[in-house]
Amino acid sequence: MADKTIHVAGIGNAIVDVLVHADDLLLHKLGLTKGVMTLIDAEQAESIYAQLPPGIECSGGSAANTIAGIAALGGRAAYVGKVKSDQLGQVFRHDIRNSGVHFETPAADGGPSTARCFVLVTPDAQRTMLTYLGACVELGPDDVDTGLIVGAEVTYLEGYLYDPPEAKRAFLKAATTAHGAGRLVSLSLSDPFCVDRHRDAFLDLVSGHVDILFANEAELMSLYETTSFDDAVRAVRGHCRVAAVTRGEKGSVVVTADDVHVVGADDIDQLVDTTGAGDLYAAGFLFGFTQGRDLATCAMLGGIAAGEIISHYGARPERSLKDLARAKLGPHIFENLR
């Protein structure tokens, strides 16, 4: 077994986010359902962009946000994702490397442009996303660095990867490689509509191939086709080593075969934008997990990271996650890091 050199390696859709303020009238005009992600093509992307108010461009992507959060906490993190050798691709590469993440996936010279996601944030802090996958669909098995995966304690995969066929093959190669090396595989369900599209495949993954599952309550209930959160918790129990389920202002629930941990949400001064909340919860949780912290502490770290993100616009930390965790949980959290 090779030595572990990376705490978490993430694989996902490399996307540049375009954040804009919106109201319900604009959502209605564009025919959007509040709070969900919708895939769009290049023509739709151009049409919608022309109808949006001015926005802010910043690197994003679900797994990329998680990996950047782990690095911000002091974890050794790596990322695999496809961009094009265009301006947005350069922005993405610069941002993620500048956050301390190892990122060496070769850029595509031709084909679709770098992916972008229009994030429409309404006054109630809900985010509605329109995603043009662009170069993301070019991510394939050859882009998976098996040496990187073998050297990672946890390989973290986003459910959105199941949409493009080649990315799905990359997803499965990474999971197989990780387990073949005795490593752990973690999956984020990503979005209720994503679960609807791939329910049978996700059920198979969760029961047979995933060690650490991340979901919010809507995604978990969608996975098991129930309107009862308690029934969904009973269904997932024992299907994977750990299931960490976020519940917004109710905090999170961590489920194992033998126990259930209920952890309250972190206190925040103001709810501004929920973009990236689940991504950063996973970051805090996985950082704690790879440092050998107990599951309740992992969930608290996740809550602190998520709480920082929802207190401002954008899905990357603005304040030091280390300082926040030290202040709220004590300095021992960062003692004897692996």
Side-chain angles (χ1 to χ4, degrees):
M1 182 182 294
D3 292 336
K4 289 174 280 191
T5 58
I6 296 291
H7 293 124
V8 184
I11 303 180
N13 291 327
I15 298 172
V16 175
D17 288 338
V18 180
L19 301 169
V20 300
H21 296 287
D23 55 25
D24 291 345
L25 184 62
L26 179 59
L27 297 187
H28 178 74
K29 177 183 176 183
L30 296 174
L32 304 177
T33 301
K34 182 186 289 190
V36 303
M37 190 281 286
T38 302
L39 293 175
I40 57 176
D41 59 26
E43 184 178 346
Q44 290 173 306
E46 292 300 323
S47 172
I48 290 169
Y49 186 67
Q51 300 178 67
L52 296 180
I56 300 171
E57 293 181 352
C58 54
S59 294
S62 178
N65 293 336
T66 296
I67 295 303
I70 291 168
L73 284 162
R76 296 189 301 276
Y79 181 71
V80 175
K82 200 74 171 180
V83 297
K84 188 179 180 180
S85 55
D86 54 16
Q87 183 177 356
L88 287 182
Q90 292 171 5
V91 168
F92 184 92
R93 187 175 300 275
H94 172 271
D95 285 356
I96 197 164
R97 284 179 170 176
N98 202 43
S99 70
V101 173
H102 177 86
F103 177 56
E104 297 296 336
T105 310
D109 291 323
S113 59
T114 296
R116 70 212 63 173
C117 179
F118 303 121
V119 184
L120 282 62
V121 184
T122 41
D124 57 4
Q126 285 292 309
R127 81 279 188 274
T128 303
M129 298 180 292
L130 296 147
T131 303
Y132 167 57
L133 291 176
C136 288
V137 300
E138 303 294 317
L139 178 72
D142 290 345
D143 293 307
V144 176
D145 182 343
T146 55
L148 182 69
I149 301 303
V150 167
E153 186 171 344
V154 179
T155 293
Y156 177 79
L157 304 161
E158 63 177 61
Y160 289 133
L161 281 171
Y162 251 64
D163 284 315
E166 281 299 291
K168 177 180 176 180
R169 290 177 57 213
F171 179 116
L172 295 173
K173 177 182 177 180
T176 301
T177 300
H179 275 156
R183 309 306 190 213
L184 300 180
V185 173
S186 180
L187 170 69
S188 167
L189 291 184
S190 295
D191 181 275
F193 284 76
C194 186
V195 176
D196 289 342
R197 291 192 294 272
H198 307 294
R199 181 175 291 106
D200 290 343
F202 282 177
L203 284 169
D204 178 65
L205 284 169
V206 171
S207 62
H209 305 281
V210 171
D211 303 292
I212 307 169
L213 176 69
F214 291 97
N216 63 31
E217 58 182 324
E219 293 158 1
L220 194 70
M221 289 189 292
S222 175
L223 182 66
Y224 292 105
E225 297 184 275
T226 177
T227 57
S228 166
F229 177 71
D230 291 340
D231 286 347
V233 167
R234 281 191 286 269
V236 77
R237 193 169 195 173
H239 280 191
C240 52
R241 178 172 171 178
V242 179
V245 188
T246 56
R247 306 192 71 193
E249 63 184 15
K250 296 178 183 177
S252 65
V253 176
V254 183
V255 185
T256 68
D258 302 317
D259 209 351
V260 175
H261 303 271
V262 179
V263 177
D266 189 58
D267 292 330
I268 61 171
D269 294 330
Q270 183 180 11
L271 174 61
V272 175
D273 173 18
T274 58
T275 304
D279 303 335
L280 269 292
Y281 176 89
F285 190 100
L286 287 174
F287 172 78
F289 187 89
T290 55
Q291 298 305 318
R293 305 304 184 234
D294 63 86
L295 294 178
T297 299
C298 292
M300 285 187 279
L301 281 165
I304 290 168
E308 195 283 331
I309 288 301
I310 64 177
S311 65
H312 61 79
Y313 288 105
R316 300 286 172 88
E318 290 186 349
R319 295 175 292 169
S320 169
L321 295 183
K322 283 185 178 181
D323 289 347
L324 287 171
R326 284 194 185 100
K328 296 188 177 190
L329 299 181
H332 69 281
I333 292 298
F334 294 95
E335 293 176 356
N336 304 315
L337 294 183
R338 297 176 177 178

